[in-house]
């Protein structure tokens, strides 16, 4: 042990099982001033989308053996200033799930969440639900003239990435807002909430791979 310690002092540790450093995605902001052009294809993985939102400037400051920690199996992940939504088309919806569908020429999208779901995936969906509900409440109060700026919900962008199938690349569809939120439907799944998202950048969708 003493010889190994002396070797490490001289040449540095050679422990190949050293655990990677972890940066929790929900604790950092996205670089929203340099998002891709709506309609641009990025990559086949969620990481390709998340990395673009995080920004290469921040990623280049991270030490080697560092990875971004977030729930890669979920359809909603979050940062301090944005929610990132992922949609896959081309597959059959699971039991009790709403089917994602664009309407009105791609201007609106049906997107379901389950705020009651436990674990990291459920936490992001619950935070998205609370954010939308809080924003709607603040807007209603403002219209009625009884709002309180001190209770305003912190602004978070909703960014949408979608792909035709698991064999396709994700496409950045731009920023969204929730146009409508319908509550739980026992005939679908307990706790499910259907969001109607309006794509704010639909006119800019260029649909190329440039």
């Amino acid at each position: 042990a003493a010889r190994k310690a002396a070797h490490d002092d001289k040449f540095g540790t050679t422990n190949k099982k050293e655990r990677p450093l972890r940066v929790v995605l929900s604790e950092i902001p996205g670089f929203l001033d340099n998002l891709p052009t709506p309609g641009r294809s990025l990559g086949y993985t969620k990481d390709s989308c998340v990395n673009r939102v995080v920004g290469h400037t921040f990623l280049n400051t991270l030490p080697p053996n560092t990875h971004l920690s977030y729930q890669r199996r979920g359809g909603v992940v979050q940062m301090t200033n944005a929610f990132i939504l992922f949609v896959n088309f081309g597959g059959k919806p699971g039991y009790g799930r709403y089917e994602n569908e664009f309407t009105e020429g791609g201007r609106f999208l049906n997107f379901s969440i389950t705020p009651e779901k436990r674990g990291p995936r459920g936490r992001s969906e619950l935070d998205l639900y609370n954010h939308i509900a809080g924003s709607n409440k603040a807007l209603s109060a403002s219209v009625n003239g009884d709002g309180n700026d001190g209770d305003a919900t912190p602004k978070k962008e909703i960014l949408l990435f979608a792909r035709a199938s698991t064999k396709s690349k994700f496409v950045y569809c731009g920023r969204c807002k929730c146009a409508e939120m319908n509550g739980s439907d026992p005939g679908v799944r307990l706790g499910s909430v259907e969001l109607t998202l309006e794509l704010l950048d639909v006119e800019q969708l260029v649909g190329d791979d440039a």
Side-chain angles (χ1 to χ4, degrees), residues 70-123:
Y70 65 96
Q71 178 53 255
R72 286 166 170 78
R73 296 184 62 185
V76 179
V77 299
Q78 65 175 311
M79 305 182 72
T80 59
N81 60 351
F83 290 97
I84 305 174
L85 277 52
F86 296 98
V87 173
N88 287 301
F89 294 98
K92 296 181 179 180
Y95 170 75
R97 292 181 181 271
Y98 292 98
E99 184 175 3
N100 297 318
E101 180 183 9
F102 281 114
T103 60
E104 296 191 28
R107 181 171 295 276
F108 295 94
L109 171 72
N110 295 332
F111 186 86
S112 63
I113 58 175
T114 310
E116 295 180 359
K117 186 163 46 183
R118 296 183 179 182
R121 294 171 64 184
R123 182 64 195 183

Side-chain angles (χ1 to χ4, degrees), residues 7 20 27 34-35 38 46 67 72 77 79 83 93 95 122 165 179 187 197:
H7 179 276
E27 298 177 356
N34 192 34
L35 293 171
K46 292 179 180 177
H67 81 283
R72 286 166 170 78
V77 299
M79 305 182 72
F83 290 97
Y95 170 75
S165 71
L197 301 177

Side-chain angles (χ1 to χ4, degrees), residues 120-208:
R121 294 171 64 184
R123 182 64 195 183
S124 292
E125 295 187 14
L126 175 61
D127 287 346
L128 175 61
Y129 174 85
N130 287 335
H131 175 77
I132 292 172
S135 298
N136 290 345
K137 181 178 179 181
L139 178 60
S140 176
S142 176
V143 170
N144 294 330
D146 57 353
N148 186 339
D149 292 340
D151 297 331
T153 301
K155 180 176 175 58
K156 274 192 175 186
E157 297 286 358
I158 300 177
L159 310 176
L160 176 65
F161 294 86
R163 61 180 177 179
S165 71
T166 55
K167 297 181 180 180
S168 305
K169 293 182 179 180
F170 279 105
V171 174
Y172 176 55
C173 299
R175 304 168 195 254
C176 303
K177 71 175 182 180
C178 183
E180 186 177 357
M181 180 166 63
N182 296 319
S184 173
D185 181 352
V188 178
R189 183 175 58 182
L190 181 62
S192 291
V193 175
E194 184 179 17
L195 308 178
T196 300
L197 301 177
E198 181 179 358
L199 278 66
L200 302 178
D201 302 314
V202 65
E203 303 297 340
Q204 301 180 44
L205 291 175
V206 294
D208 59 29

Side-chain angles (χ1 to χ4, degrees), residues 48-68:
S48 64
C49 306
V50 168
N51 289 347
R52 185 59 191 269
V53 177
V54 171
H56 295 297
T57 300
F58 176 80
L59 292 175
N60 290 336
T61 66
L62 299 178
N65 202 32
T66 301
H67 81 283
L68 296 175

